[in-house]
């Protein structure tokens, strides 16, 4: 798989024999809200917005392609639009494929986008963790922008409605223009928020589709309990991270030869995504499994918590709770925590996803000493667990 920076150029070269084109733009479905990249005609690549691509993605079903048009830089450009089965978008500007070429483009894009998703799913937990912070900053900046311009436009409205203005026609026209601008701003704000979110039912359906090939040649009955249709949309990094967690957990469960049935359930309480997994095995899943540790690290990277309950003879139950809102700045810089040098070292190791045993080995101290330092830094930082400590540390490091 090509590195992300050169992927568009290589993909463009791969697709050219089947669909000659002037430019290529992709919006990949990865964990940190999507990446828009392109190759070819720079005016087209720069002129296509994230929202334009997301709007096209919503207009057709996943796993299909169609010809369309895009207004870019003051001109109307014919395009071939392909949306992969996992929701990633491919746009070929000025594409000239035959029907067979369209089918080939879609097949190749399905393969490439699935590989992109797999790489994101298997990335180190730090990738998810940083995605949560970039998501928080995006949403905070968006809220500030909306508040600033809403206040400006509302002030304009108030002034032109003033009785001291005697030009009624001008006042009426200005009111209409300002009102339209305010509505447009709020609509753009809503669209921008929606573009970084995924309906919980859609995210769950994609999980079901992802697992279908895994179960095709296994005698395993995977039962899905759908989330409520009115559940709150999931931030894209939560949706992708949660699917990676569930896929990994189910694969760990079905490694047990006694497991014949797995039940997967998602729910949403408005604040958290709640995941429940249960198998009918003998309850002998090892907590020392490296694959289970990776799942735990991914949950913690999303600032969530995970509980694994194994009952001999009754199976294994995994419960995961992931907050939907990203972390926010606590208004406190790392230097104000008054951490000692060793406490700071331990905190940095925790933020990297290291376990106590790894921290002890790296710093040349005992695990009991590590626990002592952790208790002290929790008290000084005002947190109660590793996820909170990591969230606070990484958030504040951005403002240090």
């Amino acid at each position: 798989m090509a590195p992300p920076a050169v992927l568009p150029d290589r993909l463009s070269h791969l697709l050219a024999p089947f669909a000659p084109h002037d430019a290529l733009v992709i919006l990949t479905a990865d964990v940190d809200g999507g990446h828009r990249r392109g190759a070819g005609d720079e005016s087209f690549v720069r002129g296509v917005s994230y929202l334009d691509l997301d709007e096209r993605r919503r207009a057709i079903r996943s796993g299909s392609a169609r010809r369309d048009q895009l207004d870019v830089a003051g001109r109307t450009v014919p395009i071939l639009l392909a949306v992969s089965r996992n929701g990633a978008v491919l746009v070929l500007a000025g594409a000239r494929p035959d029907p067979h070429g369209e089918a080939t483009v879609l097949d190749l894009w399905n393969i490439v986008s699935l590989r992109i998703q797999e790489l994101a799913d298997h990335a180190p937990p730090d990738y998810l963790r940083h995605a949560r912070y970039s998501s928080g900053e995006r949403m905070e900046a968006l809220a500030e922008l909306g508040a600033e311009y809403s206040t400006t436009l509302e002030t304009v409205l108030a002034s032109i409605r003033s009785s001291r203005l005697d030009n009624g026609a001008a006042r009426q026209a200005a009111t209409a223009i300002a009102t339209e601008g305010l509505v447009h701003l709020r609509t753009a704000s809503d669209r921008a928020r929606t573009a970084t979110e995924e309906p919980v039912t859609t995210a769950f359906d994609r999980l079901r589709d992802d697992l279908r090939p895994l179960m095709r040649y296994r005698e395993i009955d995977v039962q899905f309990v759908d989330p409520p249709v009115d559940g709150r949309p999931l931030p894209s990094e939560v949706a992708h991270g949660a699917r990676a967690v569930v896929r990994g957990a189910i694969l760990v469960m079905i490694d047990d030869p006694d497991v014949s049935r797995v039940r997967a359930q998602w729910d949403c309480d408005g604040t958290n995504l709640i995941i429940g997994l249960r198998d009918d095995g003998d309850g002998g899943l090892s907590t020392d499994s490296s694959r289970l540790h990776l799942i735990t690290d991914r949950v913690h990277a999303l600032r969530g918590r995970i509980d694994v309950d194994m009952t001999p003879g009754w199976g294994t139950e995994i419960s995961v709770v992931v907050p939907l809102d990203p972390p926010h700045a606590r208004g406190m810089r790392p230097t104000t925590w008054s951490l000692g040098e060793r406490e700071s070292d331990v905190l940095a190791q925790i933020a990297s996803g290291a376990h106590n045993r790894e921290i002890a080995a790296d710093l040349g101290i005992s695990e009991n000493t590590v626990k002592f330092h952790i208790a002290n830094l929790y008290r000084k930082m005002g947190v109660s667990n590793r996820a909170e400590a990591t969230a606070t540390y990484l958030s504040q490091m951005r403002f240090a």
Side-chain angles (χ1 to χ4, degrees):
M1 185 71 185
V6 301
L7 174 61
D9 287 316
R10 294 192 181 180
L11 182 60
S12 178
H13 180 73
L14 174 66
L15 296 178
F18 310 103
H21 53 275
D22 303 319
L24 172 149
V25 175
I26 60 176
L27 176 63
T28 53
D30 54 24
V31 297
D32 61 349
H35 280 298
R36 181 175 63 88
R37 303 184 180 93
D41 182 354
E42 284 293 328
S43 63
F44 181 86
V45 173
R46 288 196 304 267
V48 177
S49 73
Y50 184 106
L51 294 179
D52 284 336
L53 296 177
D54 190 71
E55 210 169 88
R56 292 302 188 281
R57 171 168 60 187
R58 296 168 190 273
I60 69 172
R61 62 182 178 83
S62 298
S64 62
R66 77 177 188 193
R67 296 173 188 256
D68 203 344
Q69 292 182 332
L70 266 180
D71 293 327
V72 178
R75 59 193 174 104
T76 300
V77 181
I79 64 169
L80 174 64
L81 173 70
V83 178
S84 67
R85 286 189 292 270
N86 69 356
V89 178
L90 168 70
V91 174
L92 297 180
R96 300 169 290 280
D98 55 32
H100 176 71
E102 287 187 20
T104 302
V105 167
L106 181 59
D107 288 342
L108 290 173
W109 180 231
N110 275 322
I111 295 171
V112 171
S113 62
L114 178 61
R115 181 56 178 158
I116 293 172
Q117 177 183 312
E118 289 176 347
L119 291 175
D121 288 348
H122 292 88
D126 276 352
Y127 190 39
L128 284 174
R129 188 175 295 119
H130 287 299
R132 287 301 269 162
Y133 296 103
S134 62
S135 173
E137 291 185 353
R138 285 197 308 269
M139 298 309 292
E140 287 180 2
L142 180 61
E144 289 175 4
L145 182 65
E148 177 183 346
Y149 280 92
S150 292
T151 300
T152 301
L153 290 174
E154 286 165 358
T155 302
V156 171
L157 284 172
S159 65
I160 59 180
R161 287 171 177 163
S162 171
S163 59
R164 287 175 290 182
L165 298 176
D166 57 4
N167 191 333
R171 188 162 61 246
Q172 183 178 2
T175 300
I177 294 171
T179 301
E180 182 180 352
L182 183 58
V183 170
H184 175 75
L185 173 66
R186 288 173 174 166
T187 301
S189 177
D190 289 342
R191 290 175 62 205
R193 289 175 182 273
T194 302
T196 61
E197 294 178 336
E198 188 172 347
V200 64
T201 50
T202 302
F204 194 73
D205 287 342
R206 287 177 57 185
L207 169 67
R208 199 190 326 251
D209 290 342
D210 290 346
L211 287 172
R212 188 172 291 117
L214 298 176
M215 302 297 106
R216 184 173 299 160
Y217 303 108
R218 300 172 184 256
E219 295 182 0
I220 302 291
D221 177 21
V222 181
Q223 301 173 344
F224 296 94
V225 181
D226 293 340
V229 295
D230 59 349
R232 176 180 165 185
L234 307 180
S236 58
E237 72 274 5
V238 172
H240 287 282
R243 281 194 294 267
V245 166
V246 173
R247 283 194 298 267
I250 289 180
L251 287 175
V252 170
M253 286 176 155
I254 64 178
D255 274 347
D256 182 347
D258 293 324
V259 171
S260 62
R261 183 181 299 108
V262 176
R263 185 173 183 266
Q265 179 175 4
W266 279 18
D267 201 353
C268 187
D269 63 4
T271 303
N272 304 285
L273 173 64
I274 303 168
I275 301 171
L277 297 165
R278 187 180 183 89
D279 68 32
D280 64 349
D282 62 5
L285 177 65
S286 172
T287 55
D288 293 329
S289 167
S290 60
R291 294 172 70 182
L292 193 58
H293 287 166
L294 178 59
I295 293 166
T296 300
D297 289 344
R298 292 190 185 282
V299 173
H300 289 166
L302 289 167
R303 298 179 59 247
R305 67 176 187 271
I306 180 171
D307 296 305
V308 181
D309 185 14
M310 293 167 288
T311 306
W314 289 89
T316 299
E317 184 171 2
I318 299 177
S319 301
V320 177
V321 178
V322 178
L324 300 184
D325 294 313
H328 297 283
R330 304 281 183 96
M332 180 172 56
R333 297 182 183 276
T335 54
T336 66
W337 295 329
S338 301
L339 300 184
E341 181 179 352
R342 186 61 81 189
E343 291 166 349
S344 297
D345 293 340
V346 171
L347 177 57
Q349 294 267 12
I350 289 175
S352 72
H355 297 287
N356 289 358
R357 183 180 302 176
E358 298 168 326
I359 297 173
D362 188 67
L363 299 181
I365 56 180
S366 70
E367 285 190 58
N368 284 336
T369 302
V370 171
K371 293 177 182 178
F372 173 77
H373 289 313
I374 290 175
N376 283 340
L377 67 88
Y378 281 1
R379 175 178 52 80
K380 293 179 180 180
M381 296 173 67
V383 301
S384 58
N385 56 51
R386 299 175 89 92
E388 290 182 3
T390 298
T392 303
Y393 170 76
L394 291 179
S395 179
Q396 296 309 314
M397 287 301 291
R398 288 181 175 273
F399 297 97

